[in-house]
Amino acid sequence: PTPVTVDDSWPLGSDTKIMTSALASILVNQGKLSWDSTVSDMFPEIAASIYPDFKSVTLLQLLSHRAGLPHDIDYDLLDQSASIQDQRVAAARIALSQKPTNTPGTVTQYSNVGYVIAGAMIERATGMDWESAIEQYLFSPLGMASAGFGGLGTTGMVDQPWGHYQSGPPVVCCNGPAAANNPLVLGPAGTVHCTIQDWAKFITDQLRGARGEPAFLSPQAYTMLLTNYGGDYSLGWALVEADWAGGVAYQHAGSNGIYYAEAWVVPNLNLAAMVVANAAGRTTFDAAKEAIEEVYEMIMVPVISE
């Protein structure tokens, strides 16, 4: 019975990937990383165990889902007592020691573990964990004070929205900071949470950059972030070509199974829209689609009337 408010935070799930790609672009601009940085160069201590076809996989291929990696690995194999940075390198060792699912650079195949490895490369380049790096280089400059990681609220208290499955009561097990419903090692792929207002600061900046307007990142960064690298996927965004959008729109959705978040950026309409919900499943997906359509109609009907 407790209503949500504008001050509540929402897990963004895989929408985090866009932020990780933006962080990578900042580090590339500063010369700390290169889009062509390879896993062999970044992790020399595991280079001998890397499957030959993976040795030259680059940061760009990881962020564009073209590295030949599976969707995930078994994260239970990781030593949970190890530091988060060591866990991410261990995840890289496991994933990169196996035979690729396809030849790297040839097929777009969505991969969470690819972003975990990219996050580990960011950690190696900055000397800090991905969480600290994205806070320092992205969240703080954009004024995203509510941004955090993992589970929401205080265990057992209704101080943040509780997640739900598609139908039924709240998922009590997954309330509180220690109950993220996703392992924290997945951070670069999907553990950010924040208010929708703070998320809007990031999404609005992406819209400005897509329109070629002054924005936080360099013009070259937005070009890299929004390029179609194959399979209608850029660096964290899915590309949608549609008449109603006047060309290309950028879309992504994220969920940890009990929350949902979806964003659209439509450069030719100067439109961005986000939807969040403390539930997941087909019903939520359909409701989010309807909400986005309502926003579009609210913006466009006055224009058409004029």
Side-chain angles (χ1 to χ4, degrees):
T2 306
V4 298
T5 76
V6 294
D7 297 318
D8 287 327
S9 287
W10 305 91
L12 303 183
S14 287
D15 297 311
T16 299
K17 292 181 173 69
I18 310 164
M19 298 173 172
T20 295
S21 295
L23 171 59
S25 76
I26 294 170
L27 299 176
V28 169
N29 188 59
Q30 294 182 355
K32 292 182 171 67
L33 268 176
S34 165
W35 296 116
D36 295 326
S37 295
T38 68
V39 292
S40 295
D41 290 338
M42 297 301 295
F43 309 115
E45 72 275 25
I46 67 169
S49 67
I50 295 176
Y51 195 91
D53 290 355
F54 275 137
K55 288 184 180 294
S56 60
V57 159
T58 66
L59 176 66
L60 183 64
Q61 290 173 330
L62 291 166
L63 296 175
S64 59
H65 297 296
R66 294 180 68 81
L69 287 160
H71 191 286
D72 280 296
I73 61 168
D74 184 356
Y75 299 104
D76 288 337
L77 296 175
L78 304 179
D79 179 3
Q80 305 300 315
S81 65
S83 72
I84 198 68
Q85 295 183 54
D86 286 344
Q87 288 186 52
R88 287 175 182 143
V89 173
R93 182 189 300 109
I94 292 170
L96 295 171
S97 66
Q98 302 171 12
K99 183 178 180 180
T101 55
N102 48 67
T103 302
T106 63
V107 177
T108 302
Q109 180 172 316
Y110 195 87
S111 174
N112 283 327
V113 72
Y115 267 74
V116 173
I117 297 170
M121 294 174 79
I122 288 169
E123 292 175 334
R124 193 57 60 90
T126 61
M128 61 180 75
D129 58 59
W130 168 86
E131 288 83 356
S132 298
I134 202 166
E135 169 64 32
Q136 176 176 319
Y137 289 100
L138 189 66
F139 294 160
S140 182
L142 288 177
M144 298 173 62
S146 68
F149 313 95
L152 291 179
T154 307
T155 303
M157 294 181 62
V158 187
D159 53 356
Q160 288 290 340
W162 287 23
H164 298 65
Y165 292 118
Q166 181 156 322
S167 61
V171 183
V172 179
C173 72
C174 299
N175 169 250
N181 209 40
N182 270 329
L184 293 180
V185 72
L186 277 170
T191 68
V192 167
H193 62 70
C194 63
T195 64
I196 197 168
Q197 283 83 358
D198 276 354
W199 192 24
K201 294 174 184 176
F202 175 77
I203 295 298
T204 299
D205 184 79
Q206 291 283 297
L207 174 62
R208 290 179 181 141
R211 288 173 55 80
E213 299 172 356
F216 174 59
L217 305 175
S218 68
Q220 296 81 3
Y222 295 105
T223 298
M224 292 297 296
L225 291 173
L226 300 172
T227 292
N228 187 346
Y229 293 98
D232 292 327
Y233 206 91
S234 62
L235 303 186
W237 286 107
L239 281 65
V240 180
E241 187 87 30
D243 291 340
W244 66 265
V248 176
Y250 301 90
Q251 181 271 345
H252 211 277
S255 176
N256 63 0
I258 55 176
Y259 295 87
Y260 184 81
E262 182 174 354
W264 284 81
V265 166
V266 191
N268 290 329
L269 300 182
N270 196 23
L271 170 66
M274 297 88 68
V275 174
V276 291
N278 59 328
R282 185 71 204 187
T283 301
T284 305
F285 176 84
D286 291 342
K289 181 175 182 292
E290 291 181 19
I292 294 291
E293 290 172 350
E294 286 289 331
V295 171
Y296 170 76
E297 291 176 7
M298 289 168 60
I299 297 296
M300 295 307 297
V301 169
V303 174
I304 295 170
S305 298
E306 292 172 3

